[in-house]
Amino acid sequence: MDSSIRERFLSFVDVIIRVPPLFIIDELLKIEFGLMEENVVLDSTVIISNSATPPISNSFLIELFDVRHVAYKIFLTIILKFLCCCLVGVIVLSHWSNTSAMKAIIAYVSTQETTTSILDDILCFNITFILKEGPGFVVIQNYILQCLLASIFCYTHLAPKYPVLQKLLVLSFMAPSILGIYPLPTQVLHHAPVFAALVPMTVCNFVLWYNGITMLKTIYMGYQHARNFIDNYGLSALAETEWIRLNVPCVLRTFWMLRAGRQVIQILLNDYSEETFSYFMMIKSLAVNGCETLTAVLGMTSIVSFICHYIGCFFQWVLLTGDEGEKSIGTVSAILFYILALQTGLTSLDKDKRLVRLCRNICLLVTAILHFVHNIVNPLLMSLSASHNPALHRHIRALVVCAFLILFPVSVLVYLWSHYTLSTWLLAVSVFNIEVIVKVLVSLAIYSLFLADAYRSAFWEQLDDCVYIIRSFGNTIEFAFGIILFFNGFWILVFESGGAIRAIMMCIHAYQNIWCEAKEGWSVFMKRRTAVDKINTLPEAKAEQLRMLDDVCAICYHEMQNAKITQCKHYFHSVCLRKWLYVQDRCPLCHNILYKFENIRSNNETR
């Protein structure tokens, strides 16, 4: 019991230590895209408009709210983000927080006429004014944050932990917060965060240089291991192994959930008491902010993969099948969701447009999941009907799933066409849903034919032709839909939203779903036609010959009411022999040539 708890704890720590770099990358992407500045300006205008008698200038309030927003965000997530964070990340955040605090202090001092520093206000017992109207709250937050960052840095750095060095490191982290209280020149306060970061950066450089040889050896050993692994097993096997070893999906899920949890706390603390607050708006805000950067989209992709994985598990449980198809549902769904996000430029859209695009992408993903479920139920239907499985409950479960795969797309189509006007997205979703319905109807038709054949006493020679016609009909519909989707995507690429990713996906679609499908369909048609020509060269067995033979077909083991005679004097059903000719041209019993080339050439010439 203790060992299992220890393993779970170590696995939890193994995931947590990889989460902080994702938060750092996410914050950097936010700054690059201007998301934080936009939010700050909007919220600060609300504060200014709600303030009846502002004691200081509007520019200072905007600056002060910027500092409070950043410090508040860091304060809420510091425990989750930096349990075992890297040293450089601690220094970067320390410098960032110190810089923000110094800006607030400088702005506050510059607006005061009677006092020159925070210390003067403290000595004059103006503490309430400093906390409410001044930067006192920001200074206290920065002080607490720097204490925590200094403790983490002193505990985790790999340099010799001399007492003097440890105290100097703590002092360097705390110096800007202490100096900001005193009446010092503005230039000193402005450059204080830079000088405060010199000592920690010096320690980091020493650690890097001191352990440089060990790091290079480790990198070289990793390179040798990767090279040997690729030579023996291939690049894809290495990527899959490292993906599992690093537990990437769980790391991304943890990152996104912590990120969403932070936003929930902020929304509840800021807006819960307001009349306009609603849980629907909170969920809407989480969905919009949950895909505003590439790292956030990766985290949401992992959540989508997790959900789709258990959707596949549910249908596997309903159908009482194994785990063969369910494992790929989560992976393929994640890849599809991320490609849709990149293809539609989800992170670069405005909030309202991003929500609409996210809902559309999820609608397309749900349709793709229906295709995956059909891929699970289709072989089960074929096996149940072809193997004469008497388990009635398994037939009922499969038919219930098929009914769901028909009724759900129909209801989606009715809802979409009654609430939305014709557009390229609506056309794509409709095509995918109709394709699911056609696939299910084809599967049910073939299932019914096989089930009817199972209760027939005589051999059904036209069964193969019926199955071929039904499957050809379904494949033709899918091929036509593929062409429609290609032109639909071409219209989007040219007139709506172009991009390299969309162009690449169109090329892949044109090759896989149009060219390859047409080539494969033509190949099957030619094989079938050639097989028919070969069968026509063989003589038909007479009733007396079949009565004297009194045997079954060696391919299907059914009685022969009619048969074809090969050159080696063996008797087979013409349909069975035609299926055999799809594979090879020799007799199933003696392996001699089944037909004459001269007869085939003469038949083709007469045509």
Side-chain angles (χ1 to χ4, degrees), residues 36 139 258 400 405 541:
M36 292 181 61
V139 173
L258 293 177
V400 167
L405 292 178

Side-chain angles (χ1 to χ4, degrees), residues 342-593:
L342 296 179
Q343 182 174 297
T344 55
L346 196 62
T347 57
S348 60
L349 297 175
D350 296 335
K351 288 190 175 182
D352 294 336
K353 294 182 179 179
R354 190 188 307 153
L355 180 63
V356 173
R357 179 55 60 184
L358 179 63
C359 294
R360 291 182 176 182
N361 290 351
I362 292 176
C363 188
L364 289 171
L365 181 64
V366 170
T367 308
I369 294 174
L370 297 179
H371 284 267
F372 298 149
V373 175
H374 171 262
N375 292 337
I376 296 175
V377 72
N378 181 55
L380 178 63
L381 283 174
M382 299 302 106
S383 64
L384 289 175
S385 58
S387 62
H388 306 168
N389 195 317
L392 182 60
H393 68 283
R394 299 203 64 183
H395 289 265
I396 294 176
R397 287 171 178 261
L399 293 176
V400 167
V401 173
C402 289
F404 168 77
L405 292 178
I406 294 175
L407 296 177
F408 183 78
V410 169
S411 60
V412 169
L413 290 174
V414 171
Y415 175 80
L416 292 179
W417 282 94
S418 60
H419 289 78
Y420 298 95
T421 58
L422 180 62
S423 62
T424 53
W425 167 78
L426 183 59
L427 182 62
V429 174
S430 302
V431 166
F432 283 127
N433 280 279
I434 296 173
E435 189 175 358
V436 171
I437 297 172
V438 171
K439 283 184 175 181
V440 175
L441 292 177
V442 169
S443 299
L444 289 176
I446 298 175
Y447 165 80
S448 301
L449 291 177
F450 285 163
L451 206 62
D453 180 64
Y455 290 96
R456 286 174 60 94
S457 58
F459 179 73
W460 191 1
E461 189 172 354
Q462 289 77 22
L463 176 64
D464 183 68
D465 295 330
C466 296
V467 171
Y468 175 75
I469 292 173
I470 293 173
R471 285 180 175 169
S472 299
F473 171 77
N475 293 334
T476 303
I477 296 297
E478 292 180 25
F479 181 75
F481 284 165
I483 296 176
I484 293 173
L485 290 174
F486 176 78
F487 285 107
N488 185 65
F490 182 78
W491 180 274
I492 297 174
L493 180 66
V494 175
F495 297 103
E496 293 184 7
S497 60
I501 297 178
R502 186 179 294 277
I504 293 172
M505 295 306 299
M506 281 187 59
C507 294
I508 295 175
H509 170 73
Y511 177 74
Q512 291 288 342
N513 299 331
I514 297 179
W515 171 253
C516 291
E517 290 293 330
K519 187 177 179 181
E520 183 179 357
W522 181 257
S523 175
V524 172
F525 173 75
M526 292 304 298
K527 283 183 179 180
R528 189 177 183 87
R529 181 180 177 182
T530 305
V532 171
D533 292 337
K534 294 174 182 178
I535 293 298
N536 292 334
T537 62
L538 301 177
E540 188 78 24
K542 298 180 181 179
E544 296 179 358
Q545 292 175 317
L546 293 176
R547 193 181 309 110
M548 292 177 59
L549 179 65
D550 193 20
D551 199 358
V552 296
C553 174
I555 298 177
C556 67
Y557 299 104
H558 283 83
E559 295 182 358
M560 292 185 288
Q561 302 296 331
N562 49 58
K564 290 285 186 177
I565 305 175
T566 63
Q567 289 183 339
C568 49
K569 304 303 179 182
H570 291 131
Y571 293 72
F572 304 97
H573 287 129
S574 60
V575 176
C576 298
L577 201 55
R578 184 174 62 191
K579 293 180 183 178
W580 181 266
L581 289 175
Y582 294 162
V583 182
Q584 58 179 327
D585 297 332
R586 296 185 177 273
C587 176
L589 296 178
C590 63
H591 302 288
N592 288 328
I593 297 297

Side-chain angles (χ1 to χ4, degrees), residues 21 132 138 143-144 246 378:
K132 291 185 177 181
V138 176
Y143 186 86
I144 297 173
L246 297 175
N378 181 55

Side-chain angles (χ1 to χ4, degrees), residues 48-89:
I48 294 172
S49 62
N50 292 336
S51 178
T53 56
I56 50 181
S57 63
N58 291 344
S59 61
F60 170 65
L61 279 175
I62 295 175
E63 190 72 28
L64 180 60
F65 185 82
D66 188 7
V67 176
R68 288 186 177 181
H69 178 75
V70 173
Y72 185 62
K73 180 183 292 186
I74 298 173
F75 182 77
L76 284 177
T77 58
I78 188 64
I79 298 177
L80 299 176
K81 286 184 181 179
F82 300 103
L83 292 175
C84 300
C85 186
C86 60
L87 302 180
V88 178

Side-chain angles (χ1 to χ4, degrees), residues 154-372:
C154 293
Y155 180 76
T156 57
H157 75 79
L158 301 178
K161 293 180 174 58
Y162 298 114
V164 178
L165 178 62
Q166 298 291 83
K167 294 178 181 178
L168 184 61
L169 287 172
V170 174
L171 182 62
S172 65
F173 277 92
M174 303 299 302
S177 299
I178 297 174
L179 294 177
I181 301 175
Y182 294 96
L184 297 175
T186 305
Q187 294 296 327
V188 175
L189 296 178
H190 181 73
H191 295 290
V194 178
F195 288 101
L198 292 178
V199 177
M201 289 301 297
T202 303
V203 173
C204 284
N205 291 331
F206 173 78
V207 171
L208 292 176
W209 283 105
Y210 185 78
N211 299 285
I213 298 177
T214 305
M215 293 169 59
L216 291 176
K217 288 182 178 179
T218 304
I219 294 173
Y220 180 75
M221 291 175 61
Y223 168 75
Q224 290 291 338
H225 171 73
R227 185 176 179 180
N228 294 332
F229 200 97
I230 292 173
D231 293 338
N232 293 328
Y233 304 103
L235 181 61
S236 60
L238 176 65
E240 184 178 357
T241 302
E242 293 301 314
W243 183 274
I244 297 174
R245 184 182 68 85
L246 297 175
N247 207 356
V248 176
C250 189
V251 172
L252 293 175
R253 275 197 300 273
T254 304
F255 159 72
W256 196 87
M257 292 174 66
L258 293 177
R259 192 177 187 275
R262 178 191 64 187
Q263 295 175 359
V264 169
I265 294 175
Q266 289 178 345
I267 293 173
L268 292 177
L269 291 178
N270 295 333
D271 303 332
Y272 186 74
S273 59
E274 297 182 2
E275 296 180 358
T276 59
F277 174 81
S278 65
Y279 288 102
F280 174 75
M281 295 300 295
M282 183 177 70
I283 295 174
K284 178 181 175 181
S285 176
L286 290 177
V288 171
N289 297 327
C291 56
E292 60 187 354
T293 61
L294 291 178
T295 50
V297 171
L298 281 173
M300 183 176 285
T301 301
S302 182
I303 297 293
V304 169
S305 175
F306 184 77
I307 295 173
C308 293
H309 168 80
Y310 280 98
I311 289 176
C313 290
F314 171 75
F315 281 102
Q316 291 284 343
W317 173 76
V318 171
L319 297 172
L320 301 177
T321 56
D323 299 333
E324 293 83 7
E326 163 269 324
K327 292 181 179 179
S328 64
I329 291 182
T331 303
V332 177
S333 300
I335 295 173
L336 178 60
F337 180 81
Y338 194 71
I339 290 176
L340 286 174
L342 296 179
Q343 182 174 297
T344 55
L346 196 62
T347 57
S348 60
L349 297 175
D350 296 335
K351 288 190 175 182
D352 294 336
K353 294 182 179 179
R354 190 188 307 153
L355 180 63
V356 173
R357 179 55 60 184
L358 179 63
C359 294
R360 291 182 176 182
N361 290 351
I362 292 176
C363 188
L364 289 171
L365 181 64
V366 170
T367 308
I369 294 174
L370 297 179
H371 284 267
F372 298 149

